[in-house]
Amino acid sequence: MSMMEPFPGAVAAPRVPPRLVALFACGSGLSVANVYYAQPLLGSLAADFAISPAAIGGVITATQAGSIVALLMLVPLGDRLDRRRLMLVQAVLLALALACVAMARQTALLLAGMLAVGLLGTAMTQGLIATAASAADASERGRVVGAAQGGVVIGLLLARVLAGLVADAAGWRWVYLLSAATMLALAALLWTALPAQARTRSGLSYGALLLSMLDLLRHERMLQIRGVIALLMFAAFSIFWSALVLPLSAAPFALSHSAIGAFGLVGVAGALAAGKAGNWADRGLGQRATGIALGLLVLAWLPLGLLHRSLWLLGLGIVLLDIGAQAIQVLNQSMIFRSRPDAHSRLVGCYMLFYAVGSGAGALAATAMYAAAGWTGVCVLGAAVSALAAVFWALSLRWTPP
C-alpha cells in the first residue's frame, strides 16, 4: 500500500464552527479531569477516612474500574440514543456523583462515588469525541477530533495541578463540589450549543448493540490494526510515566511530588501537536504522519535514557514522547471513524479497550523492569515496545484499507 492514502477530493466548507470545536475540546477536558482529580489527593483521603497507605490505591482502582465499565456498557449507547440527550443525562448524573464524593463520610460511599465518577466521566469524554466525529464532515474530521483529543490531554494534565491548588486552599472536598457545579454548567452549554445531527442511530436492542462490538473487533480491519498500534503506543507511554517517579524521588534528585508532577505539564506540547496530526489525516496523509509520529516515539527514548546526565534532556524526551503519542492517538481515531459512520460510539469504545490493556500492561512491566534493571532497563524496554509498534505499522500497510 502507498504511504499516502487517496486524497478525498475537494475540501468541503467546514461544518463545525470554531466555537463548537472549542466546546468539544473544553467539554472533553473538563469531563476527563474528574477521573484524575483523586491522584494528588490520596494523602488527604487516607487521613480523612482512616485508610492505610497500602489500601488507599483502591480509590484509583474504583475510578479505573468505572472507566472500563463505561467503555463496555455506556459509550456504545451513543449509537442507539440521541447523543445530546444522553450527554445531558450523563452530565447531570456526573454532577450528582461528584457531590456524593464531596459529602461522603464512610469509605464505602467514597468508593461507590469514585466508581460512578469514573463511569460517567469516561462516558462523557468518549461520547463527546464520538459526537465531534459525527458532527464533522469527512474532510475536517481529523481536525475536529484532534481538537477534542487535545482537550482530553490538557484536562488530564491540569487535573492534578488544579486539584492540588484547590485542596491546599479550601480542602479536598471543594475540588469535587466545584467540579459538580462545572458539570451542570457544561450540561447547559451542551444542550444549547450541540446541533441536531443526522439520524444514523442503530435500530439494535441494547444487548445486540453490545454484542455488535464483538463483530466490530472481529471484522473491522482498520480498528484491528490501529488498535494494536494504540496498545503498543500506550504501553510505551505508560512504561515511562509509571516509572518516572522512582528515579526522580530518589538520590541524587530527591524531587518532591509537586516537582515531579510539573514534568507532566510539558505534555501540553503533545496536545498542541494533536490538532496538526488531525489536519494531516484530513489531507490523506495519515499513514505518512503515523510513520513520523512512531519515529518520534522511538527517538524519544534516547534523551529519556540520559536522565541522570540532565533534567533538560528529560524534558526534551518528554516533548518528543508526548508529541508522538498524542499524534498517533488522533490519527488512529480519525482513521477508524471513517469506516463505519453509524458506529462511532461503539468504535471509540472498542478502540479505548486497546488503550486500557496497553496502559495496564505498561504500568506492570515498568515497575518490574525498574526493580530488575533500573532506569536504563526501563528505557530499553520502552524503546523496544515503541520499535515494535513501528515495525507492526510498516508490516500492516499492505493490509490496511485505503
Side-chain angles (χ1 to χ4, degrees):
M1 177 177 172
S2 169
M3 289 282 288
M4 183 186 301
E5 296 92 336
F7 189 78
V11 178
R15 287 175 49 188
V16 185
R19 60 179 177 79
L20 189 54
V21 175
L23 179 60
F24 284 134
C26 292
S28 299
L30 291 170
S31 298
V32 78
N34 294 297
V35 183
Y36 293 91
Y37 283 141
Q39 291 185 354
L41 305 177
L42 292 180
S44 299
L45 293 172
D48 269 18
F49 291 89
I51 303 174
S52 69
I56 192 61
V59 171
I60 304 301
T61 302
T63 308
Q64 294 302 319
S67 297
I68 294 175
V69 173
L71 294 175
L72 293 172
M73 308 297 289
L74 287 188
V75 174
L77 281 173
D79 290 335
R80 188 172 188 267
L81 304 177
D82 180 87
R83 286 198 181 105
R84 187 169 67 158
R85 293 180 184 275
L86 179 62
M87 282 191 292
L88 175 66
V89 172
Q90 289 174 344
V92 172
L93 292 177
L94 178 56
L96 290 175
L98 290 163
C100 288
V101 169
M103 294 183 289
R105 300 295 174 183
Q106 289 83 34
T107 301
L109 291 178
L110 174 69
L111 295 176
M114 288 297 184
L115 178 70
V117 167
L119 182 81
L120 294 161
T122 300
M124 278 285 297
T125 304
Q126 301 306 324
L128 280 166
I129 292 176
T131 303
S134 297
D137 186 79
S139 63
E140 61 173 346
R141 185 167 293 136
R143 174 181 67 87
V144 177
V145 171
Q149 182 60 37
V152 171
V153 177
I154 293 174
L156 64 89
L157 290 174
L158 294 185
R160 302 174 179 92
V161 178
L162 292 175
L165 291 174
V166 173
D168 287 342
W172 71 266
R173 295 182 186 273
W174 275 99
V175 174
Y176 291 95
L177 286 174
L178 291 174
S179 187
T182 302
M183 287 301 105
L184 292 177
L186 177 61
L189 279 174
L190 292 173
W191 181 251
T192 57
L194 284 182
Q197 294 182 326
R199 295 180 64 87
T200 58
R201 298 195 294 273
S202 169
L204 298 173
S205 67
Y206 179 59
L209 189 77
L210 299 185
L211 288 175
S212 70
M213 295 175 70
L214 295 176
D215 289 332
L216 291 175
L217 288 168
R218 190 182 304 126
H219 300 300
E220 288 296 330
R221 182 64 58 83
M222 185 69 80
L223 173 63
Q224 295 167 349
I225 291 174
R226 304 308 291 199
V228 172
I229 293 173
L231 188 152
L232 294 170
M233 180 271 289
F234 279 118
F237 197 68
S238 182
I239 285 169
F240 171 73
W241 286 108
S242 298
L244 179 62
V245 66
L246 300 174
L248 290 184
S249 60
F253 301 111
L255 298 180
S256 67
H257 289 291
S258 298
I260 295 172
F263 280 99
L265 297 180
V266 179
V268 172
L272 298 177
K276 182 65 175 178
N279 291 337
W280 286 342
D282 292 337
R283 293 168 54 197
L285 301 173
Q287 294 289 12
R288 180 175 296 180
T290 300
I292 295 172
L294 287 168
L296 290 177
L297 199 68
V298 175
L299 181 63
W301 292 99
L302 179 58
L304 293 176
L306 299 176
L307 159 66
H308 288 91
R309 293 192 180 184
S310 170
L311 291 180
W312 289 105
L313 288 173
L314 173 65
L316 173 62
I318 291 175
V319 169
L320 294 175
L321 187 76
D322 281 356
I323 289 177
Q326 298 308 324
I328 293 168
Q329 171 77 329
V330 171
L331 291 164
N332 284 347
Q333 291 181 323
S334 299
M335 294 169 77
I336 66 170
F337 282 144
R338 297 185 184 199
S339 58
R340 288 282 301 275
D342 63 320
H344 282 163
S345 293
R346 281 169 289 167
L347 284 171
V348 75
C350 291
Y351 172 77
M352 292 304 292
L353 289 175
F354 288 97
Y355 153 82
V357 173
S359 294
L364 290 174
T367 51
M369 179 58 76
Y370 188 83
W375 182 248
T376 299
V378 169
C379 291
V380 170
L381 176 63
V385 174
S386 302
L388 180 60
V391 171
F392 175 82
W393 164 76
L395 293 175
S396 70
L397 287 174
R398 69 177 66 184
W399 298 298
T400 303

